[in-house]
Amino acid sequence: MEASPRDSFTDHPLAASRPRTLWMVWFGLGVGLGALWTVGWWQTVLKRAPQSDVWWSLVLGRWQWQHHTLYRLNTLGHLTAPYPDLEWGWQVFLAALTPRSLPGLGTLGLLVVSAGVLTVLVAEQARRLYGPSLLGPVLGALAALGLASAWPLRPQILSVSFWLLLLMILDQAPHHPRRLWLLVPLAVLWSVFHGDWILVPLLVFFETGRTLMTRSSPRLSPLLLGLVGLSSLVAVWRLNPLHGQAIRHALAIIHSPVISQVIQEWQSPNWHTPGWTLLAGLWAVIIGAVALRRLTVTPWFWWWGGTVLATLWHQRMVLYNWPLTLLLLGGLFPPMSALTGARQRIWSLGLVSGSAVVILTRILTPGGVAQYATAMHSPTAVVQWCVHHPTSGLTLTPYRLGGYWEAQGVSAVWIDGRTQFWTVHHRLGPYLAWQQGRQPVTFWTAHDVSRIVWPTTATTPQTLWLEQAHWHPVYRGDGLTVWQPSLVP
């Protein structure tokens, strides 16, 4: 006997409740993963105290905000010389965001929003490459979580999203060639925040050459690519207040041997550490998958290969390599067609909801802001003592503290985060000699160093030199000792 419509399964009461139950399951899984990701990201970010460069950026940003002009001459450290500041836009933005104090709701919001934008961009590109599935949100969450330990209050957190936008526009160019012109305003905007904006014309010119050799896209003209790359350079030269310096200096610092020797992020990776070992293993998986034809060679593979070479050269480029590594690894997973459509939207909504709940409970409470302020490890007592006991000469501080000293009002600081400036004027060598225990006695005297703030330790070459040169400890606190040539009453 045939079943009547009333007796069919589609009319059964459980049939309507089953989709709701599945949606609730996917929503709950999304909430759990979102909360777990956000808690892990939050705790990892809090372990990274702001570097001297961050405080120095705040000092410059406040000066430029107050005077409505660019800081072109370095005069705060008793030196007057041209200073091509490639991050002036970031500095002004940071100062406007933190009018009173660096640790606060503004900086916490910036960190969270920038990580969220990265997550969305990676998830969106995964959807374009592999179709709508749960894979996109997972890869996006992993991209932000994997970079959390290197997510400082510096313009790199914006550059990585600019980088993904650059690749997404190039990826769509064969079908939408006119969108390439969006790269011109992107280059101008990027150029006021960070020197890595030079990646825009470099990658466009690379694509021009690749298109000429492969003829892979009949609709994409190499002439159009070349015009866009050239236009991006001209637009930056005309619209960025630094004009030609924005181009010359962005290229010069890439090849600076001094910067590569003294700054860790400009050196090659240390493959003995677990994080770098894991990344090398993931690289090997991708190369092996391509060799076995498990992965199709697309422009994304060549862009990823370029970031691999760049990371081998300068480990700082891992910020650009990590999202691409995850996107390529996503091609090794089977299609998740059963998890598309409404289920994926419910999953994504749960992911956002779980993250938002954690963010709101962490940030929009006094405890959350206080936790971030505590994580900054600011040596408040010592710097306040120096502010209330000024000297006529320079104050020598550890590199990671100099910018903080200036942000608190001690303007004449030796080594304050302006590494590029110190290398150009050959002032970084004496500091490195002092840090390594080779004391430049005459150098400090000739350059009017009248106070040295250094970590308090039992016996080090620095403390022995200070004692032999008749310097005296005048204050101790926060694990630091303040030394001066004569005893301060």
Side-chain angles (χ1 to χ4, degrees):
M1 184 177 67
E2 293 184 2
S4 65
R6 184 177 300 275
D7 294 331
S8 67
F9 179 75
T10 56
D11 287 339
H12 195 278
L14 292 179
S17 63
R18 188 181 179 191
R20 295 195 188 97
T21 303
L22 288 176
W23 289 357
M24 292 178 63
V25 169
W26 290 121
F27 181 78
L29 289 174
V31 169
L33 179 62
L36 181 64
W37 164 76
T38 309
V39 169
W41 180 87
W42 181 279
Q43 297 299 331
T44 306
V45 167
L46 288 185
K47 294 178 181 178
R48 185 183 179 95
Q51 299 173 343
S52 183
D53 293 350
V54 178
W55 293 103
W56 169 241
S57 294
L58 184 63
V59 172
L60 279 191
R62 287 175 174 173
W63 189 94
Q64 293 170 124
W65 182 268
Q66 179 183 0
H67 293 83
H68 303 287
T69 186
L70 297 189
Y71 187 80
R72 297 179 182 275
L73 295 180
N74 181 351
T75 58
L76 297 184
H78 286 193
L79 295 170
T80 302
Y83 179 67
D85 187 6
L86 299 180
E87 301 175 4
W88 64 268
W90 162 261
Q91 294 157 0
V92 173
F93 175 65
L94 186 63
L97 197 65
T98 58
R100 297 182 180 179
S101 176
L102 184 62
L105 187 61
T107 49
L108 281 173
L110 174 60
L111 288 170
V112 172
V113 170
S114 58
V117 170
L118 169 65
T119 303
V120 171
L121 288 176
V122 173
E124 172 62 15
Q125 187 54 42
R127 185 191 67 81
R128 291 176 179 274
L129 291 174
Y130 310 118
S133 70
L134 301 185
L135 184 63
V138 171
L139 293 181
L142 288 176
L145 187 60
L147 295 177
S149 61
W151 204 252
L153 274 172
R154 297 179 63 186
Q156 286 90 324
I157 63 177
L158 304 180
S159 288
V160 65
S161 293
F162 291 150
W163 164 250
L164 288 174
L165 286 173
L166 165 63
L167 298 185
M168 292 170 73
I169 292 173
L170 286 174
D171 183 45
Q172 299 173 36
H175 305 287
H176 305 281
R178 293 183 179 180
R179 293 183 183 179
L180 281 172
W181 291 108
L182 294 174
L183 297 180
V184 177
L186 176 64
V188 175
L189 176 64
W190 195 348
S191 72
V192 305
F193 284 102
H194 196 220
D196 283 348
W197 75 269
I198 199 68
L199 289 171
V200 174
L202 290 180
L203 191 58
V204 171
F205 290 144
F206 169 81
E207 283 299 299
T208 303
R210 192 177 69 85
T211 304
L212 280 171
M213 290 187 296
T214 61
R215 301 287 182 180
S216 56
S217 177
R219 295 186 59 189
L220 186 58
S221 167
L223 177 60
L224 175 61
L225 281 166
L227 285 175
V228 169
L230 184 61
S231 298
S232 66
L233 289 173
V234 173
V236 170
W237 175 67
R238 293 288 296 176
L239 300 177
N240 191 307
L242 293 176
H243 302 300
Q245 284 185 321
I247 301 173
R248 291 193 300 270
H249 198 57
L251 292 172
I253 59 177
I254 298 176
H255 304 285
S256 173
V258 179
I259 292 178
S260 300
Q261 292 172 6
V262 302
I263 305 179
Q264 182 180 357
E265 66 182 25
W266 286 84
Q267 299 172 1
S268 298
N270 180 5
W271 301 109
H272 298 290
T273 57
W276 288 111
T277 303
L278 172 62
L279 183 61
L282 297 180
W283 290 351
V285 170
I286 292 175
I287 295 174
V290 171
L292 296 174
R293 298 186 178 181
R294 292 288 306 276
L295 283 178
T296 304
V297 176
T298 66
W300 287 89
F301 175 78
W302 298 113
W303 298 333
W304 168 81
T307 60
V308 169
L309 296 177
T311 304
L312 292 174
W313 188 19
H314 299 315
Q315 60 181 272
R316 58 186 292 274
M317 297 300 291
V318 73
L319 284 170
Y320 305 111
N321 173 262
W322 175 244
L324 302 191
T325 298
L326 290 176
L327 285 172
L328 289 187
L329 289 173
L332 298 178
F333 291 90
M336 300 181 183
S337 57
L339 305 176
T340 60
R343 294 178 183 178
Q344 189 223 0
R345 290 192 291 271
I346 291 295
W347 162 271
S348 301
L349 180 62
L351 189 73
V352 173
S353 301
S355 303
V357 168
V358 174
I359 291 170
L360 290 175
T361 55
R362 300 266 177 171
I363 291 184
L364 299 182
T365 59
V369 177
Q371 184 183 12
Y372 181 58
T374 302
M376 287 194 168
H377 310 297
S378 302
T380 306
V382 177
V383 72
Q384 288 302 316
W385 187 92
C386 291
V387 169
H388 291 95
H389 298 80
T391 62
S392 59
L394 290 170
T395 298
L396 173 66
T397 67
Y399 173 76
R400 292 184 175 273
L401 297 179
Y404 178 69
W405 247 245
E406 289 194 338
Q408 300 302 317
V410 182
S411 60
V413 175
W414 187 284
I415 301 300
D416 50 20
R418 294 165 290 176
T419 308
Q420 296 175 19
F421 180 85
W422 294 110
T423 55
V424 169
H425 295 278
H426 310 290
R427 304 301 175 91
L428 191 60
Y431 172 81
L432 295 176
W434 165 262
Q435 188 180 41
Q436 297 167 4
R438 305 190 305 272
Q439 294 73 32
V441 182
T442 57
F443 199 89
W444 297 142
T445 304
H447 289 81
D448 195 24
V449 174
S450 57
R451 174 179 290 162
I452 295 179
V453 181
W454 210 250
T456 302
T457 52
T459 302
T460 64
Q462 291 85 0
T463 57
L464 289 175
W465 177 85
L466 289 168
E467 292 172 353
Q468 294 171 1
H470 305 292
W471 286 57
H472 306 277
V474 294
Y475 187 82
R476 287 189 176 93
D478 302 318
L480 299 168
T481 299
V482 181
W483 297 79
Q484 292 186 176
S486 59
L487 188 61
V488 176

